[in-house]
Amino acid sequence: MKDFDEFHSWIEFEKRYLNGHQKQLLFDKDYSWIEDKKILSCVFFFYYTYYHFGIEFLLSKVEEANFPTWRKNTIIQLINLCQDIVHEINMGFYEENIFTWINDVQVQNIIRDYSPITEDSIKEYIMSENTNLLLKAKTVGYMISMIYYLSERAAFAHIFFVSGFGLITGSKFEELFSFISKNNPSLYKYLLYIKKYISEGFHAIGFFDDCDLSEDFDEGPTNYIYRKFFHVNTPKVILSDNEISWRFVTFLNGELQIYNPKHPEGHGKYKPFYIKTQKSIKAFNHIKDYIINKLPPIKAIFQDDIIVGIEPSSIESINDTLDVLKRHTENVAHISEDIHKSERGKLLKHEYTQSEVRNYINNKKSEFLDSLCQLHLDDYKIYYCLENRVNSDLIMAEEDAFIFTIATADKETLLAYENTEENRATYLFICDIKDLEMSVKSLADYFSSGVVNKRETLGNKIKYGKITGIKKLIKITHSDEWLREIKSEQSKIY
């Protein structure tokens, strides 16, 4: 909290912006001053500057202050006005203008509790007790984007102009991130998520609409945000209708997997297009973020939002790009691949501690995996398995996956199966508690098998008892309601 200055900043503000007629209008009982943007901004200045000190504290301090009687009475009136009217106006403003793009009810309730949102109240929340760090990261990100939003509104401009400018230049981010690092190191580990939700907030209110919210975030305190979203002078990359950015390409060993970003069913990730080329290796995914903006887009051929081919002019460009990647990153790529194979080998043998598998999951930077880690019951081991994905063309791809135990009762257990690819759905399985170990093993064996389109046939396999121990399947897609639906199924077991 900023040092209390006995209302001196308010007095200077009052002298500068309010004349005698406006001061009288301020305390008219019909509250017509709400329509006057200058008066409203002055009232909000007082509210946002002093409200967090508490009404009782403010009243006691104004009695102690050596002010003329008329000024003392004015400030007392203003304190009472903020208590009775302005807080209600502020909440109404949040409901109508801010909560429309913050669709998480938990975040909305926290913002209400810490209102008015200022740099001080954000810091207060950062230091507060809260074990759900993902929720805290989300809230802090939205709080920060709120300040910029408020700085654009006429009634808030006088208060937030400096903060808003600081956000644009990146200086405020650096200051706040440094504060998080010093005062809540555990939350600082979620800095990438804070950046993600800042970006989502800015995107929701109409700024920098070219941002790709699915893109991974660079390390470093402010570089990613400043360069990618908040530098107004950065030119946007404009793609033609038939062009696809390399951010929608996944490297596999021996082939490329290309998604259509405009497909109505989740960016086309359920119907990708494959190009076979021995020049592609999975290790390129580790460095994709560093070269993505330097690569020419791929020109595709579409049919009803499905990619059906790649234009011949792009084939040579793709091969040239893969040659460049191999030439400049060969050592790094193979080292990364070797490390990944070493870690995966240890996991496949199940020679890992709970801490080791959690660290491996944390490196995947997946909010879905992080949430399931928090829901997982520590009495049980997180089970690693390798999902062998085989499509109808017999094209295979290996993907990391994990089985979590998220609820148990007298007779039943709820398991959650989650793949590291975020476009995959989450599968919940109910099994008899006495068959838990066998159920986990049979699920792992099924997903690692060579069955074609195994996710599409999973329901029938369970229905006809082909997967030992599993009684019921619940499929939950990755949507805004994902966590609520997971917890709902969890509560049914309890």
Side-chain angles (χ1 to χ4, degrees):
M1 300 290 285
K2 58 170 70 72
D3 293 332
F4 183 74
D5 61 4
E6 293 188 340
F7 309 104
H8 287 305
S9 60
W10 157 252
I11 292 167
E12 292 302 315
F13 200 85
E14 173 196 41
K15 289 177 181 178
R16 184 174 178 181
Y17 291 106
L18 293 186
N19 57 39
H21 169 72
Q22 287 172 317
K23 290 176 187 177
Q24 181 58 45
L25 181 63
L26 179 60
F27 300 109
D28 284 350
K29 291 185 178 180
D30 63 0
Y31 302 115
S32 58
W33 53 266
I34 293 173
E35 302 301 323
D36 187 312
K37 296 300 183 185
K38 183 179 287 188
I39 299 179
L40 187 60
S41 66
C42 289
V43 173
F44 274 127
F45 174 89
F46 188 92
Y47 175 74
Y48 274 76
T49 304
Y50 298 111
Y51 188 85
H52 282 291
F53 290 101
I55 299 298
E56 295 301 322
F57 174 82
L58 295 177
L59 289 172
S60 66
K61 283 298 181 182
V62 76
E63 290 295 340
E64 296 172 10
N66 186 26
F67 292 145
T69 302
W70 67 270
R71 184 176 294 284
K72 183 180 293 187
N73 291 339
T74 299
I75 294 177
I76 290 173
Q77 283 180 293
L78 192 55
I79 292 170
N80 292 327
L81 185 69
C82 288
Q83 182 179 28
D84 297 335
I85 302 297
V86 180
H87 187 71
E88 182 180 343
I89 295 172
N90 190 68
M91 287 296 98
F93 184 88
Y94 286 177
E95 292 284 352
E96 294 178 17
N97 299 276
I98 292 173
F99 291 162
T100 55
W101 50 269
I102 299 178
N103 56 12
D104 188 312
V105 175
Q106 289 179 286
V107 174
Q108 292 179 5
N109 289 334
I110 293 168
I111 286 174
R112 287 187 184 96
D113 292 341
Y114 283 84
S115 181
I117 299 303
T118 65
E119 188 177 330
D120 288 337
S121 60
I122 294 174
K123 289 180 177 179
E124 182 183 358
Y125 176 62
I126 287 168
M127 293 187 294
S128 67
E129 294 292 331
N130 189 327
T131 56
N132 187 338
L133 292 177
L134 186 58
L135 173 63
K136 197 159 195 171
K138 189 174 189 177
T139 305
V140 169
Y142 280 146
M143 283 178 168
I144 291 172
S145 56
M146 269 182 67
I147 290 185
Y148 183 78
Y149 179 79
L150 294 175
S151 72
E152 291 293 296
R153 312 273 76 82
F156 296 84
H158 294 306
I159 314 160
F160 288 107
F161 176 75
V162 175
S163 294
F165 183 76
L167 292 182
I168 285 293
T169 61
S171 59
K172 282 292 179 182
F173 288 112
E174 191 166 3
E175 179 186 327
L176 279 169
F177 293 162
S178 175
F179 180 87
I180 295 170
S181 175
K182 293 176 183 176
N183 293 277
N184 195 336
S186 298
L187 179 63
Y188 191 75
K189 295 177 182 178
Y190 284 72
L191 184 61
L192 299 181
Y193 286 104
I194 295 175
K195 292 180 178 183
K196 172 184 176 181
Y197 292 118
I198 292 172
S199 302
E200 286 189 359
F202 272 69
H203 186 57
I205 59 181
F207 291 94
F208 315 105
D209 58 3
D210 62 333
C211 70
D212 176 12
L213 304 180
S214 67
E215 188 176 351
D216 292 334
F217 298 100
D218 297 338
E219 297 294 338
T222 61
N223 289 344
Y224 183 86
I225 285 184
Y226 177 73
R227 185 175 69 253
K228 293 288 186 184
F229 298 103
F230 303 127
H231 200 308
V232 182
N233 295 325
T234 300
K236 297 180 179 181
V237 177
I238 305 298
L239 297 178
S240 301
D241 289 340
N242 68 329
E243 293 180 336
I244 295 177
S245 165
W246 279 82
R247 66 166 54 95
F248 298 106
V249 176
T250 298
F251 296 100
L252 303 175
N253 289 328
E255 62 185 339
L256 302 177
Q257 189 177 36
I258 305 175
Y259 305 132
N260 174 15
K262 298 177 182 179
H263 193 281
E265 297 179 16
H267 301 310
K269 292 187 177 182
Y270 300 106
K271 296 181 177 67
F273 180 81
Y274 294 88
I275 297 180
K276 290 188 177 181
T277 168
Q278 293 306 311
K279 294 183 178 182
S280 174
I281 59 173
K282 290 178 68 175
F284 288 158
N285 292 308
H286 297 287
I287 55 169
K288 181 171 71 171
D289 292 337
Y290 298 98
I291 50 86
I292 221 170
N293 293 322
K294 301 176 183 178
L295 301 178
I298 295 172
K299 294 182 178 180
I301 303 169
F302 296 92
Q303 180 177 320
D304 297 329
D305 294 318
I306 305 298
I307 303 172
V308 295
I310 300 300
E311 291 191 3
S313 61
S314 275
I315 299 296
E316 186 177 351
S317 174
I318 290 170
N319 287 327
D320 289 344
T321 296
L322 293 172
D323 286 339
V324 170
L325 286 174
K326 185 177 182 181
R327 186 164 60 249
H328 289 285
T329 63
E330 190 169 19
N331 292 335
V332 176
H334 285 302
I335 289 171
S336 299
E337 186 77 353
D338 289 343
I339 292 172
H340 186 66
K341 285 180 179 178
S342 174
E343 289 179 326
R344 179 179 276 179
K346 188 174 183 179
L347 290 169
L348 282 170
K349 294 177 183 177
H350 296 283
E351 299 171 350
Y352 57 83
T353 65
Q354 196 83 316
S355 176
E356 287 173 331
V357 73
R358 284 180 178 272
N359 286 337
Y360 187 82
I361 290 171
N362 187 53
N363 289 332
K364 298 299 178 182
K365 301 292 189 295
S366 164
E367 62 178 294
F368 304 104
L369 285 169
D370 287 347
S371 295
L372 290 173
C373 274
Q374 293 181 30
L375 296 175
H376 179 77
L377 305 177
D378 284 335
D379 291 341
Y380 301 89
K381 192 171 185 177
I382 297 173
Y383 195 94
Y384 171 83
C385 56
L386 195 61
E387 181 172 344
N388 184 23
R389 195 164 54 81
V390 188
N391 67 17
S392 55
D393 295 325
L394 299 182
I395 296 175
M396 293 187 292
E398 293 179 340
E399 298 171 347
D400 292 323
F402 304 87
I403 301 174
F404 302 87
T405 304
I406 61 174
T408 59
D410 292 338
K411 296 182 179 180
E412 291 184 330
T413 299
L414 183 64
L415 303 174
Y417 181 90
E418 185 69 32
N419 186 296
T420 51
E421 296 293 322
E422 296 208 352
N423 58 296
R424 311 275 186 262
T426 303
Y427 289 105
L428 302 184
F429 300 96
I430 296 176
C431 66
D432 286 327
I433 194 166
K434 59 182 176 60
D435 297 328
L436 176 59
E437 186 174 343
M438 179 176 59
S439 299
V440 170
K441 183 67 167 58
S442 64
L443 282 174
D445 288 345
Y446 174 76
F447 279 103
S448 63
S449 71
V451 174
V452 176
N453 294 332
K454 56 177 64 69
R455 284 179 175 249
E456 288 78 358
T457 59
L458 178 58
N460 283 334
K461 296 287 185 183
I462 292 171
K463 181 179 179 180
Y464 296 109
K466 299 295 185 181
I467 301 180
T468 308
I470 302 300
K471 297 164 58 178
K472 184 178 179 182
L473 160 69
I474 303 129
K475 180 180 177 180
I476 300 180
T477 57
H478 288 176
S479 67
D480 291 339
E481 297 296 311
W482 176 83
L483 186 56
R484 183 190 65 77
E485 293 179 32
I486 295 282
K487 290 183 176 179
S488 174
E489 297 299 332
Q490 188 185 40
S491 66
K492 291 176 185 178
I493 296 294
Y494 290 128

